[in-house]
Amino acid sequence: DGGITQSPKYLFRKEGQNVTLSCEQNLNHDAMYWYRQDPGQGLRLIYYSQIVNDFQKGDIAEGYSVSREKKESFPLTVTSAQKNPTAFYLCASSIEGTYSYEQYFGPGTRLTVT
Amino acid sequence: GQQVMQIPQYQHVQEGEDFTTYCNSSTTLSNIQWYKQRPGGHPVFLIQLVKSGEVKKQKRLTFQFGEAKKNSSLHITATQTTDVGTYFCAGPTDKLIFGTGTRLQVFP
């Protein structure tokens, strides 16, 4: 089956630790995205990548880092510099990054930092 | 920056009643997309509208894109409990801007 996988589904970390969230897609999509969703809120863009080895900051990139070494993979690292990291993180992909195409979302990772 | 607002924020309806959510952009959009997120789930694409004044239907769901391409609406006829979730509109600028969402609760 084609789709996007995110792991793990739930993640617990202590404050001050960096944590990396996995996102893999087998849809052969060029563009990938990371969003953050807080309870009862909409989606806020953290980082996006329109092509391998290239990525841009979204609206709330501070405290996060990404890499795009392979077309299929777009991992997100939540660093200790992120002041309020507890949230639901969603990865998405689209055929290309022109926003004329729908975005496919993964199941998400719920991160809790205490 | 561009903003995409949705109203209402919440809507509780009795099963069988109709439901409408409205999406308003501060700028003209080239297209508008609609997504549904079930409780505890992830957003799922419903539809994209491109043309001014466009109306599309999916069974009990009717989507409309305004003449000025700055607003859109989603209307659900005779809601069912399976319609529960949050409905987001999204419009593109240099990135896809998601609306604030409307959370729909349907009581049986």
Side-chain angles (χ1 to χ4, degrees):
Chain A
D1 285 335
I4 300 180
T5 57
Q6 290 186 245
S7 60
K9 189 171 182 179
Y10 298 95
L11 190 54
F12 298 88
R13 280 293 183 271
K14 293 289 187 185
E15 200 172 304
Q17 293 178 335
N18 290 357
V19 58
T20 297
L21 311 185
S22 166
C23 177
E24 303 279 331
Q25 56 101 355
N26 61 3
L27 300 167
N28 200 33
H29 286 175
D30 282 330
M32 296 187 75
Y33 315 84
W34 274 104
Y35 293 92
R36 170 182 171 138
Q37 187 175 37
D38 293 286
Q41 304 296 312
L43 305 174
R44 292 187 290 168
L45 184 65
I46 305 172
Y47 268 98
Y48 62 104
S49 168
Q50 295 179 316
I51 200 166
V52 176
N53 292 320
D54 188 42
F55 49 83
Q56 287 80 40
K57 294 181 179 180
D59 298 318
I60 55 166
E62 185 175 349
Y64 300 98
S65 66
V66 293
S67 63
R68 185 89 187 275
E69 297 175 0
K70 298 187 301 182
K71 188 174 185 177
E72 303 79 23
S73 179
F74 191 39
L76 173 74
T77 296
V78 185
T79 75
S80 56
Q82 168 51 233
K83 292 186 181 357
N84 187 16
T86 295
F88 186 40
Y89 292 88
L90 288 157
C91 179
S93 71
S94 62
I95 292 174
E96 56 179 65
T98 60
Y99 305 108
S100 297
Y101 299 93
E102 66 191 270
Q103 294 193 3
Y104 293 77
F105 284 83
T109 293
R110 295 191 183 276
L111 173 64
T112 302
V113 177
T114 57
Chain B
Q2 185 200 8
Q3 289 187 319
V4 179
M5 303 297 293
Q6 281 183 255
I7 54 171
Q9 189 175 5
Y10 302 98
Q11 184 83 58
H12 298 169
V13 300
Q14 204 74 34
E15 189 172 22
E17 292 181 338
D18 291 357
F19 159 78
T20 304
T21 174
Y22 300 91
C23 176
N24 294 288
S25 169
S26 56
T27 60
T28 302
L29 301 169
S30 60
N31 68 72
I32 191 93
Q33 299 176 11
W34 284 92
Y35 293 78
K36 176 183 177 181
Q37 184 176 21
R38 294 183 184 274
H42 58 277
V44 174
F45 175 80
L46 294 176
I47 207 162
Q48 177 173 272
L49 305 172
V50 178
K51 299 177 184 176
S52 169
E54 187 171 14
V55 178
K56 286 188 176 180
K57 293 191 176 186
Q58 289 179 349
K59 297 182 180 178
R60 295 178 294 103
L61 278 60
T62 301
F63 303 84
Q64 186 166 5
F65 201 10
E67 293 290 341
K69 301 183 78 172
K70 294 179 71 173
N71 58 73
S72 181
S73 64
L74 158 59
H75 179 82
I76 302 178
T77 303
T79 55
Q80 300 176 358
T81 54
T82 53
D83 296 324
V84 165
T86 300
Y87 294 85
F88 293 98
C89 63
T93 56
D94 59 335
K95 50 186 178 290
L96 196 63
I97 306 293
F98 280 82
T100 46
T102 295
R103 185 181 300 177
L104 173 65
Q105 181 63 263
V106 180
F107 295 107

